[in-house]
Amino acid sequence: MAETGKDITKAALILTNGGIVAIPTETVYGLGGNALDEKTVAAIFSAKGRPAYNPLIVHIAGGGELNKYVTAVPAVAEKLIERFWPGPLTLLLPKKEIIPNLVTAGLLDVGMRVPNHPLTIELLQMLPFPLAAPSANPFGYISPTSPAHVEQQIGQKIPYILDGGICSQGVESTVVGFDKNTPVVYRLGAITIEELTKVAGPIFLYNKTTDAPPSPGMLPYHYSPLTPLYLTSNLHDMVQNFLPSETGVITFHSHIRGYPDNHIVILSSKASIREAARNLYSALHQLDALHLKRIIAERFPDYGLGKTLNDRLVKASMKSSLIEKLGSLDDNQ
Ligand code: TXA
Ligand code: MG
């Protein structure tokens, strides 16, 4: 079990000694460690069970520190920084040698971000090094948005969870790289395409089926609960096909009749997409813990933050569709 508390001095001490601490951010909790220390970075990969080909994001206290770690910042990146940092935007920029190759999985660009959480910013200001931090979940599982999620999933592997409460955004940062001066979105996230376009003009959306992968780490089965998850645009018809006693349902804002109360999560009864984002991973954690036969989730309107949430749900459901295709879905599990 990890200790959970709000003591940033304690967190700083563990980190300074090369240890790993779960840190709060506005998106999800991260597994933080000294990004400049290869041993610590290796320990993060191992605690998470993450393959070495999937790079980590480096967290800094403010944009002013960027030039210590990257060699160039395109003009359009400056604009994005001005508007969105601190905030849920990760920028892929050419790394300086001081960033170990292990952090970037051998890639030339490093993902940099300034998290918008007062405790973590204060912590970063105390430390003489930046923090490499992937989401604090075991590889492929749902990201944690509360200290309790971190404790359940990975508590036995780390000494301390810095308690910053529930994450205000609830989905990961948007990851943006650059093709010369044009932004390319590699991972949809808490900042929407529409918001980016307003500041940066036209942007590319990286398409994993037609474009070459920037890193082989962009696997489809992320964010998955252990319970098979199915995604539908027609929730009310879909739920008729299953026994309510063995099925969990996640809806955007509507209620479903005939299901036990604890099998239904309504993400935002006032139909706020921001509130739905904040509650989505929690809902997946909650229903997954019931060990039901399946979880049915409703597709969101496919724009703005809805696009990001659909992306996560599609990825979470891919494992189930694959298992089904291979014919090995064991109904007794
Ligand atoms: O909101 C977030 O970004 C959270 C919090 C803790 O900051 N972090 C997070 O980290 O989601 P992680 O490691 O779970 O996901 C990072 C994503 C991965 O899809 C990874 O492949 C991509 O960012 N990424 C990181 N560095 C990259 C790089 N140099 N080039 C391409 N993709 C990169
Ligand atoms: Mg992650």
Side-chain angles (χ1 to χ4, degrees), residues 65-75 77-78 91-99 107-112:
E65 286 185 40
L66 201 52
N67 62 4
K68 291 196 223 164
Y69 308 113
V70 308
T71 56
V73 182
E78 298 278 11
L91 299 179
L92 304 179
L93 298 166
K95 82 176 192 72
K96 283 193 172 164
E97 229 164 85
I98 186 170
I99 302 283
L107 298 169
L108 300 177
D109 286 347
V110 57
M112 301 290 309

Side-chain angles (χ1 to χ4, degrees), residues 144-228:
T145 54
S146 73
H149 294 158
V150 179
E151 174 58 41
Q152 277 157 28
Q153 300 188 59
I154 223 156
Q156 76 286 7
K157 304 238 170 101
I158 54 173
Y160 198 65
I161 300 171
L162 186 61
D163 182 354
I166 308 266
C167 302
S168 60
Q169 300 276 346
V171 282
E172 294 86 347
S173 62
T174 306
V175 177
V176 175
F178 298 92
D179 183 357
K180 300 207 175 67
N181 206 36
T182 303
V184 182
V185 172
Y186 288 99
R187 175 177 72 177
L188 295 169
I191 292 177
T192 64
I193 304 283
E194 291 85 345
E195 288 172 305
L196 291 172
T197 308
K198 249 189 223 159
V199 176
I203 55 172
F204 283 123
L205 189 51
Y206 171 79
N207 180 333
K208 69 175 174 303
T209 49
T210 53
D211 301 343
S215 79
M218 299 189 66
L219 296 174
Y221 326 128
H222 266 108
Y223 322 103
S224 303
L226 302 175
T227 314

Side-chain angles (χ1 to χ4, degrees), residues 234-247:
N234 192 349
L235 188 68
H236 289 262
D237 287 348
M238 178 85 159
V239 293
Q240 308 303 326
N241 298 321
F242 303 108
L243 276 180
S245 59
E246 52 191 36
T247 307

Side-chain angles (χ1 to χ4, degrees), residues 27-30 48 50 134-146 149-150 153 167 170-173 187 222-225 278-285 312:
T27 58
V28 301
Y29 274 73
K48 194 175 157 75
R50 172 180 249 179
S135 52
N137 51 288
F139 181 64
Y141 197 61
I142 311 157
S143 300
T145 54
S146 73
H149 294 158
V150 179
Q153 300 188 59
C167 302
V171 282
E172 294 86 347
S173 62
R187 175 177 72 177
H222 266 108
Y223 322 103
S224 303
R278 213 157 37 233
N279 293 330
L280 179 62
Y281 288 160
S282 232
L284 288 168
H285 280 286
R312 299 303 191 269

